[in-house]
Amino acid sequence: MRIADVLRAKGTAVATIDPDVPVSELLRALAEHNIGAIVVVGSSGVAGIVSERDVVRRLHEVGIDLLSSPVSAIMTADVFTCSPSDTVDSLTVVMTERRFRHVPVLSNGELVGIVSIGDVVKSRIGQLEQSQDQLQAYIAQG
Ligand code: AMP
Protein backbone atom coordinates (compact mmCIF):
# COMPACT_ATOMS: atom_id res chain seq x y z
CA MET A 1 0.00 0.00 0.00
CA ARG A 2 1.33 3.41 -1.00
CA ILE A 3 0.61 6.96 0.16
CA ALA A 4 -1.12 7.60 -3.21
CA ASP A 5 -3.69 4.89 -2.25
CA VAL A 6 -4.33 6.60 1.10
CA LEU A 7 -4.87 9.95 -0.66
CA ARG A 8 -7.26 8.35 -3.16
CA ALA A 9 -9.41 7.20 -0.22
CA LYS A 10 -9.24 10.35 1.95
CA GLY A 11 -8.83 13.11 -0.66
CA THR A 12 -6.16 15.70 -1.27
CA ALA A 13 -7.45 18.67 0.74
CA VAL A 14 -4.76 20.29 2.90
CA ALA A 15 -5.32 23.17 5.31
CA THR A 16 -2.52 25.74 5.09
CA ILE A 17 -1.67 28.93 6.96
CA ASP A 18 0.61 31.91 6.36
CA PRO A 19 3.70 32.11 8.64
CA ASP A 20 3.01 35.79 9.45
CA VAL A 21 -0.52 35.46 10.84
CA PRO A 22 -0.94 35.47 14.65
CA VAL A 23 -1.33 32.29 16.71
CA SER A 24 -4.92 33.38 17.55
CA GLU A 25 -5.71 32.97 13.84
CA LEU A 26 -4.06 29.52 13.87
CA LEU A 27 -6.34 28.45 16.75
CA ARG A 28 -9.38 29.61 14.77
CA ALA A 29 -8.24 27.59 11.74
CA LEU A 30 -7.53 24.41 13.78
CA ALA A 31 -10.98 24.63 15.40
CA GLU A 32 -12.80 25.50 12.16
CA HIS A 33 -11.29 22.58 10.20
CA ASN A 34 -11.41 20.25 13.24
CA ILE A 35 -7.76 19.24 12.69
CA GLY A 36 -4.61 18.93 14.82
CA ALA A 37 -1.96 20.40 12.52
CA ILE A 38 -1.61 22.85 9.64
CA VAL A 39 1.05 23.13 6.97
CA VAL A 40 2.68 26.58 6.99
CA VAL A 41 3.04 27.95 3.46
CA GLY A 42 4.90 31.16 2.68
CA SER A 43 5.75 32.94 -0.57
CA SER A 44 8.33 30.28 -1.48
CA GLY A 45 6.26 27.23 -0.61
CA VAL A 46 6.16 24.96 2.45
CA ALA A 47 7.87 26.79 5.34
CA GLY A 48 6.97 24.42 8.17
CA ILE A 49 4.26 22.63 10.10
CA VAL A 50 2.50 23.65 13.28
CA SER A 51 0.42 21.38 15.51
CA GLU A 52 -1.76 21.82 18.59
CA ARG A 53 1.16 20.38 20.57
CA ASP A 54 3.33 23.39 19.60
CA VAL A 55 0.62 25.75 20.87
CA VAL A 56 0.24 23.92 24.19
CA ARG A 57 4.00 23.80 24.85
CA ARG A 58 4.61 27.45 24.02
CA LEU A 59 1.50 28.67 25.83
CA HIS A 60 2.91 27.04 28.95
CA GLU A 61 6.30 28.79 28.43
CA VAL A 62 5.23 32.23 27.16
CA GLY A 63 1.72 32.71 28.49
CA ILE A 64 -1.20 34.51 26.87
CA ASP A 65 1.05 36.88 24.85
CA LEU A 66 1.66 33.91 22.58
CA LEU A 67 -1.70 34.57 20.90
CA SER A 68 -0.34 37.68 19.16
CA SER A 69 2.98 36.07 18.11
CA PRO A 70 3.33 34.97 14.49
CA VAL A 71 2.84 31.32 13.57
CA SER A 72 6.46 31.27 12.36
CA ALA A 73 7.60 31.68 16.01
CA ILE A 74 6.16 28.33 17.05
CA MET A 75 6.20 26.19 13.89
CA THR A 76 8.67 23.37 13.16
CA ALA A 77 10.64 24.65 10.16
CA ASP A 78 12.47 21.39 9.48
CA VAL A 79 9.40 19.60 8.18
CA PHE A 80 9.53 15.96 7.19
CA THR A 81 7.56 15.28 4.00
CA CYS A 82 6.84 12.20 1.91
CA SER A 83 5.87 11.49 -1.67
CA PRO A 84 2.81 9.65 -3.09
CA SER A 85 5.06 6.73 -4.11
CA ASP A 86 6.30 6.10 -0.53
CA THR A 87 4.86 3.06 1.23
CA VAL A 88 2.52 3.31 4.20
CA ASP A 89 4.81 0.87 6.05
CA SER A 90 7.86 3.14 5.71
CA LEU A 91 5.88 6.17 6.88
CA THR A 92 4.56 4.25 9.90
CA VAL A 93 8.16 3.62 11.01
CA VAL A 94 9.16 7.30 10.65
CA MET A 95 6.04 8.64 12.42
CA THR A 96 6.49 6.21 15.30
CA GLU A 97 10.24 6.80 15.72
CA ARG A 98 10.14 10.59 15.33
CA ARG A 99 6.89 10.98 17.27
CA PHE A 100 4.90 13.17 14.93
CA ARG A 101 1.38 12.52 13.75
CA HIS A 102 1.22 14.47 10.50
CA VAL A 103 3.23 14.29 7.27
CA PRO A 104 2.61 16.58 4.27
CA VAL A 105 2.78 14.88 0.88
CA LEU A 106 4.76 16.62 -1.89
CA SER A 107 4.88 15.73 -5.57
CA ASN A 108 7.41 17.65 -7.70
CA GLY A 109 7.59 20.27 -4.94
CA GLU A 110 3.79 20.76 -4.89
CA LEU A 111 1.69 20.09 -1.79
CA VAL A 112 -0.71 17.31 -2.83
CA GLY A 113 -2.02 16.03 0.50
CA ILE A 114 -1.38 15.31 4.17
CA VAL A 115 -1.34 11.97 5.98
CA SER A 116 -2.10 11.66 9.68
CA ILE A 117 -1.30 8.79 12.04
CA GLY A 118 -5.06 8.05 11.98
CA ASP A 119 -4.96 7.59 8.18
CA VAL A 120 -1.95 5.26 8.52
CA VAL A 121 -3.58 3.15 11.25
CA LYS A 122 -6.84 2.94 9.25
CA SER A 123 -4.97 1.76 6.16
CA ARG A 124 -3.02 -0.90 8.11
CA ILE A 125 -6.20 -2.22 9.77
CA GLY A 126 -7.77 -2.50 6.29
CA GLN A 127 -4.75 -4.49 5.06
CA LEU A 128 -4.87 -6.83 8.07
CA GLU A 129 -8.61 -7.44 7.63
CA GLN A 130 -8.04 -8.25 3.97
CA SER A 131 -5.30 -10.82 4.76
CA GLN A 132 -7.48 -12.35 7.49
CA ASP A 133 -10.41 -12.74 5.04
CA GLN A 134 -8.09 -14.35 2.47
CA LEU A 135 -6.70 -16.78 5.05
CA GLN A 136 -10.19 -17.71 6.28
CA ALA A 137 -11.37 -18.31 2.68
CA TYR A 138 -8.28 -20.46 2.04
CA ILE A 139 -8.86 -22.53 5.19
CA ALA A 140 -12.63 -22.90 4.44
CA GLN A 141 -11.80 -24.30 0.98
CA GLY A 142 -10.04 -27.14 2.78
P1 AMP B 1 2.11 16.23 16.05
O1 AMP B 1 2.36 14.87 16.58
O2 AMP B 1 1.84 16.24 14.56
O3 AMP B 1 1.09 16.98 16.85
O4 AMP B 1 3.49 17.04 16.18
C1 AMP B 1 4.36 16.90 17.28
C2 AMP B 1 5.56 17.82 17.04
O5 AMP B 1 6.23 17.42 15.83
C3 AMP B 1 5.24 19.29 16.87
O6 AMP B 1 6.32 20.04 17.39
C4 AMP B 1 5.14 19.48 15.36
O7 AMP B 1 5.46 20.80 14.94
C5 AMP B 1 6.19 18.49 14.89
N1 AMP B 1 5.82 17.89 13.61
C6 AMP B 1 4.59 17.44 13.22
N2 AMP B 1 4.63 16.94 11.99
C7 AMP B 1 5.91 17.06 11.56
C8 AMP B 1 6.60 16.74 10.35
N3 AMP B 1 5.98 16.16 9.33
N4 AMP B 1 7.94 17.04 10.26
C9 AMP B 1 8.58 17.62 11.32
N5 AMP B 1 8.00 17.93 12.47
C10 AMP B 1 6.68 17.67 12.61
Side-chain angles (χ1 to χ4, degrees), residues 69-140:
S69 304
V71 164
S72 58
I74 67 165
M75 70 182 189
T76 301
D78 185 14
V79 52
F80 177 87
T81 62
C82 68
S83 92
S85 59
D86 287 332
T87 64
V88 172
D89 286 354
S90 67
L91 201 61
T92 308
V93 173
V94 176
M95 290 175 104
T96 307
E97 283 178 354
R98 298 179 63 173
R99 293 177 184 277
F100 44 63
R101 296 169 292 178
H102 305 88
V103 175
V105 188
L106 297 188
S107 177
N108 299 319
E110 292 285 313
L111 189 58
V112 295
I114 188 162
V115 174
S116 75
I117 194 81
D119 301 323
V120 166
V121 169
K122 192 173 165 194
S123 148
R124 286 181 67 92
I125 289 173
Q127 276 179 293
L128 286 172
E129 282 173 352
Q130 210 179 348
S131 337
Q132 194 186 12
D133 289 348
Q134 283 165 353
L135 273 173
Q136 275 171 349
Y138 177 74
I139 292 164

